[in-house]
Amino acid sequence: MWTQEEIHEQIQMINGKESPSLVIKNATYLHSVYKEWLTGNIWVHKDRIVYVGKEMPEVIKQTEVIDATGKKIVPGYIEPHVHPFQLYNAQTFAAFAGALGTTTFISDNLPFFIGHDRNTAFSVLDQLKKQPFSFYWWARMDSQTVLKDEKEMFNQQEILPWLLRDDVLMAGELTGWPRLLGGDPNLFAMVQAAKQTGKKVEGHLPGASEKTLARMKLLGVDGDHEAMTIEDVKSRLLHGYAVTLRHSSIRPDLPHLLKEIVANKLDVFDHIMMTTDGSTPLFHQDGVMDKCIQVALDAGVPVIDAYLMASYNVARYYDMTDYHGLIATGRYATLNFLEDVANPVPTDVLSKGVWLKKDGQVQDAFHPIDWSVLSPFAPKFDLYHEDFTFDHAVGIEMVNDVITKPYEITIDTSEEVLSDDHDESFIMLLDRDGKWRLNTLIKGFASHVEGFASSYSNTGDMILIGKDKRAMQQAFEEVKRIGGGMVLIENEAPIVTLPLPIAGGLSNERVEVLIEQETVLKDALKERGYHHTDAVYTFLFLQSTHLPYVRMTPVGIYDVMKNKVLVPITER
């Protein structure tokens, strides 16, 4: 919001008494309401557009004037479904995305909500709010796993302060929707609180039938991003859902869905949004929302629709067109300058009046964030030989990157080292405070990883995997020593290290550097038998109960379909 004094100064520019800070003349820009390219002059003062039209300001003594002849100007791109903790942190990912034209995130709050007290979480959000970038947030209503104290953590009283923030636009994503459908009063109360505070409710409804979609709509769900087929898209639109299509490292559905929408001549692009849905760094080496727009253009989506799906459609759905998605008077001065509409990567990016990219050069525009307010990863315990006891008959077998099913363990788990002749490995989920552990075998992860440890997971607990119990212990000790991260041990020494010093789950490196680190880690795991697509997602979703069939959770090996614990945790 702008103060009365700021608005008075802006009006004085219209009155010819004051000069704006920037004027973009001869602008050809996309008007999101007319859905046409218009020409005119754009006056900007600080972070706000104060006028768009044919006139030039009367006073330009202190004004930077840019001639945009030959360029096309579009609204800054909006990523509506961000998980800003896929090794990168919210600021480094924003800096990377901003240079490519994505200037607004609507982001998951889960790691801030679970791992830190509210005041600490809000202090980070408030720091990010001051950046030359637009950060908005979700308010999670469930943990995406099974926690002992789930209801104490996720309830109306705890979620309401989040919903009352003006930078929180959405409740969800609702991975625990079967509980809502089953009449869970706690979850129902949170959904009602979201509706009463004017927030959208995002579902998580993969494979949902039409009747399930109808039931969830009646319960208050507004949108969903889990369409995997054209029929999924059509059924969601039929029931009045906002539909967000994914193009992610594990669900790259956007290209074929858009091609089928075009082929079926469905005039629905005004009601479609797009997302990269928390993809890992390597997936973003060729873009963020610019990448989605390129996919849309390649699929035959009309040019204007392609750009609006990544800007105005999102702003309209989340009721923030007063600030975003529209190049018009009173909005944030957030603009992307294009050489050619066929290439959505901008030559220049203006975000809230600050140049993130100018004349093709990325600017150093972001302020430092004090991440030290978050609880550091500093385990005050050690692991001992008795912790490496694997005596249960139920193991987990990888179906793909993220889906695991139960299997019967038949090999001798008392051995210190397992053979490389098969793809079964020891696995331990370890409480970050050392209070409990969960030991079993994992089949299909790799054939000859000696020892691996990660402090990166859905709950912030540690994951240890390997053929060699001593190597797994060494990997744990090395992750502990460096203050969080991922470590691969071989021949009693670390051969790959990916540090995550921010709370044990986030890197402080630029995304470009992180892409290189991630590539080295994934290549090393692939060389040792990991044959799935994205190992980072494997570690993140190991505990996630929105996926079948069994998961390793803080209460034990959990059968998702039967809602019961198959193997409990072991207290330490």
Side-chain angles (χ1 to χ4, degrees):
M1 296 292 290
W2 292 272
T3 66
Q4 184 177 6
E5 290 77 14
E6 288 171 326
I7 294 171
H8 176 74
E9 182 184 24
Q10 294 160 6
I11 291 173
Q12 288 295 82
M13 295 166 195
I14 308 295
N15 295 340
K17 305 296 185 182
E18 299 283 351
S19 58
S21 53
L22 171 68
V23 170
I24 304 162
K25 68 177 185 178
N26 300 320
T28 300
Y29 64 96
L30 176 58
H31 195 282
S32 304
V33 174
Y34 284 122
K35 295 183 72 171
E36 293 179 359
W37 298 99
L38 304 181
T39 58
N41 304 307
I42 303 170
W43 309 3
V44 172
H45 190 62
K46 298 179 180 177
D47 62 350
R48 196 180 196 191
I49 297 173
V50 298
Y51 171 87
V52 181
K54 298 296 183 183
E55 302 293 328
M56 284 289 286
E58 295 178 35
V59 180
I60 55 171
K61 291 180 180 179
Q62 300 176 357
T63 302
E64 177 186 8
V65 179
I66 292 178
D67 190 339
T69 300
K71 297 287 182 75
K72 294 288 181 69
I73 303 176
V74 296
Y77 311 144
I78 305 172
E79 219 315 355
H81 195 93
V82 183
H83 298 278
F85 46 79
Q86 301 291 54
L87 306 182
Y88 42 69
N89 68 65
Q91 184 198 34
T92 53
F93 189 39
F96 176 82
L100 298 169
T102 301
T103 52
T104 301
F105 284 168
I106 304 174
S107 297
D108 190 354
N109 74 323
L110 187 61
F112 297 134
F113 190 90
I114 285 184
H116 309 280
D117 67 81
R118 188 189 307 137
N119 289 337
T120 297
F122 283 1
S123 73
V124 174
L125 268 60
D126 291 341
Q127 289 186 70
L128 290 167
K129 211 171 185 179
K130 297 174 183 177
Q131 298 290 338
F133 193 94
S134 296
F135 288 96
Y136 298 97
W137 299 92
W138 317 350
R140 282 278 195 155
M141 296 181 287
D142 63 277
S143 67
Q144 199 169 294
T145 186
V146 183
L147 302 176
K148 292 180 181 179
D149 56 350
E150 175 105 6
K151 288 186 178 179
E152 286 71 33
M153 188 178 297
F154 291 89
N155 57 62
Q156 186 176 358
Q157 183 178 351
E158 291 297 323
I159 195 177
L160 189 57
W162 285 84
L163 294 173
L164 292 174
R165 286 184 64 101
D166 61 2
D167 55 353
V168 171
L169 303 181
M170 181 187 101
E173 54 184 320
L174 192 55
T175 56
W177 62 268
R179 301 204 323 261
L180 179 63
L181 196 57
D184 185 324
N186 182 52
L187 202 47
F188 182 78
M190 286 188 280
V191 170
Q192 290 300 107
K195 306 302 279 189
Q196 289 163 6
T197 52
K199 311 300 182 182
K200 301 292 187 183
V201 176
E202 180 72 5
H204 191 281
L205 308 171
S209 67
E210 284 210 48
K211 285 188 176 180
T212 295
L213 291 173
R215 294 180 186 109
M216 297 309 296
K217 200 76 180 78
L218 293 172
L219 284 165
V221 176
D222 298 296
D224 185 67
H225 58 283
E226 291 289 329
M228 292 178 274
T229 68
I230 187 64
E231 294 306 319
D232 288 343
V233 175
K234 291 164 71 174
S235 61
R236 281 156 176 75
L237 291 171
L238 178 69
H239 288 282
Y241 283 82
V243 176
T244 304
L245 304 181
R246 285 178 301 191
H247 190 45
S248 74
S249 48
I250 58 170
R251 289 298 326 177
D253 299 312
L254 184 66
H256 79 84
L257 290 177
L258 289 178
K259 288 175 183 176
E260 290 186 65
I261 291 172
V262 171
N264 282 269
K265 298 181 180 179
L266 298 178
D267 186 15
V268 296
F269 293 117
D270 284 350
H271 305 282
I272 299 290
M273 297 173 278
M274 303 182 288
T275 180
T276 57
D277 193 14
S279 293
T280 47
L282 186 58
F283 183 80
H284 290 294
Q285 61 185 334
D286 55 353
V288 188
M289 291 310 295
D290 57 303
K291 180 174 183 169
C292 291
I293 295 169
Q294 189 64 63
V295 167
L297 294 172
D298 293 345
V301 175
V303 169
I304 288 176
D305 285 321
Y307 282 94
L308 296 187
M309 285 195 295
S311 55
Y312 184 68
N313 291 8
V314 185
R316 184 182 59 203
Y317 173 64
Y318 284 103
D319 194 25
M320 55 181 187
T321 55
D322 281 351
Y323 300 98
H324 300 281
L326 185 62
I327 300 175
T329 301
R331 276 67 182 182
Y332 276 132
T334 300
L335 311 169
N336 289 335
F337 296 68
L338 308 176
E339 288 278 16
D340 189 325
V341 295
N343 179 11
V345 179
T347 58
D348 305 80
V349 179
L350 189 70
S351 178
K352 292 165 69 174
V354 176
W355 292 107
L356 303 185
K357 188 179 188 182
K358 194 171 185 182
D359 298 326
Q361 299 299 310
V362 177
Q363 307 297 299
D364 185 14
F366 284 76
H367 320 305
I369 296 291
D370 180 13
W371 293 109
S372 68
V373 299
L374 301 181
S375 302
F377 179 81
K380 295 179 173 59
F381 65 93
D382 296 311
L383 290 180
Y384 302 99
H385 186 268
E386 56 265 29
D387 288 311
F388 292 87
T389 301
F390 297 81
D391 53 7
H392 295 290
V394 178
I396 62 172
E397 180 176 356
M398 295 182 64
V399 177
N400 59 26
D401 309 59
V402 297
I403 293 176
T404 50
K405 65 181 183 180
Y407 84 101
E408 182 181 359
I409 297 170
T410 58
I411 65 172
D412 183 1
T413 59
S414 65
E415 299 288 339
E416 291 298 303
V417 180
L418 296 178
S419 169
D420 289 347
D421 294 338
H422 56 75
D423 64 352
E424 294 174 77
S425 304
F426 299 117
I427 183 168
M428 180 191 300
L429 180 65
L430 178 65
D431 174 45
R432 67 180 290 151
D433 296 320
K435 296 178 181 179
W436 53 262
R437 58 175 171 79
L438 178 61
N439 293 16
T440 188
L441 263 59
I442 184 168
K443 181 177 175 60
F445 176 78
S447 56
H448 51 287
V449 167
E450 289 186 16
F452 174 83
S454 172
S455 58
Y456 172 85
S457 70
N458 183 40
T459 58
D461 299 311
M462 290 197 67
I463 299 167
L464 279 60
I465 303 176
K467 294 279 190 173
D468 185 325
K469 294 176 182 178
R470 176 58 189 148
M472 292 168 65
Q473 187 174 5
Q474 289 177 315
F476 162 78
E477 291 167 353
E478 182 65 11
V479 169
K480 179 179 168 182
R481 186 190 70 79
I482 66 175
M486 298 181 181
V487 171
L488 182 62
I489 295 286
E490 194 163 286
N491 297 324
E492 300 189 353
I495 58 168
V496 178
T497 299
L498 198 163
L500 300 172
I502 302 173
L506 305 174
S507 173
N508 55 13
E509 296 285 359
R510 293 183 301 111
V511 171
E512 294 87 346
V513 173
L514 193 52
I515 288 172
E516 296 175 2
Q517 294 177 331
E518 181 193 7
T519 301
V520 170
L521 174 66
K522 287 182 173 178
D523 286 350
L525 291 175
K526 185 176 180 180
E527 290 167 4
R528 287 155 183 81
Y530 183 91
H531 62 274
H532 304 289
T533 305
D534 198 327
V536 175
Y537 259 108
T538 297
F539 308 135
L540 178 66
F541 278 171
L542 184 67
Q543 303 147 291
S544 297
T545 52
H546 66 287
L547 294 165
Y549 295 92
V550 294
R551 321 302 295 173
M552 294 187 73
T553 77
V555 299
I557 297 179
Y558 189 80
D559 187 319
V560 176
M561 312 306 287
K562 296 179 181 178
N563 291 321
K564 72 174 187 178
V565 175
L566 302 179
V567 177
I569 59 170
T570 299
E571 302 287 346
R572 298 183 72 246

